[in-house]
Structures are given as structure tokens and as C-alpha cells.
Amino acid sequence: MYAIIEDSGVQIKVSQGDVIRVDERPLPAGTGSITFERVLLVGGAEGGGEARIGRPYVEGAKVTAEVL
């Protein structure tokens, strides 16, 4: 499964286990994860499966990432 998220005006394709870079932002001390709620598309397995396309965002979809 993969998703296309929007962060700081940039679209980023993400899958489980990916390491991505996003713009720095102020986070409370000890924050271990960040949630991206602007999900533009959610797709099935690479090369197959149904994609859910947002208008503009996929309702109820979010991506949570560990802060490294």
C-alpha cells in the first residue's frame, strides 16, 4: 500500500518503511511521531489494486510517521 501526501505544498509518495525528509517544524519536546492528514491518494499494492483519489483529500485517510 502507498499514499501520496501533501506537506508544505509538496506531494510525496510514501509506503511503509520509507524514510522521507520534510520541512522542519516546531514540535513539542519528546514528540515521537507526526501525522499527515492531507492525503491526496491511497493506492493498493504497487502495480495493482484500487486507488482512492481525494477531492482534494481522501476522507478519513491519514499517514503517521516516526520522527527520526
Side-chain angles (χ1 to χ4, degrees), residues 44-64:
E46 296 287 339
E50 291 288 320
R52 291 185 0 202
I53 301 170
R55 294 189 173 101
Y57 305 114
V58 178
E59 188 175 329
K62 58 185 169 184
V63 172
T64 302

Side-chain angles (χ1 to χ4, degrees), residues 8-26:
S8 300
V10 176
Q11 296 178 8
I12 306 165
K13 182 179 179 184
V14 296
S15 296
Q16 186 171 358
D18 286 353
V19 175
I20 63 170
R21 289 184 179 267
V22 296
D23 288 341
E24 192 171 332
R25 66 200 71 210

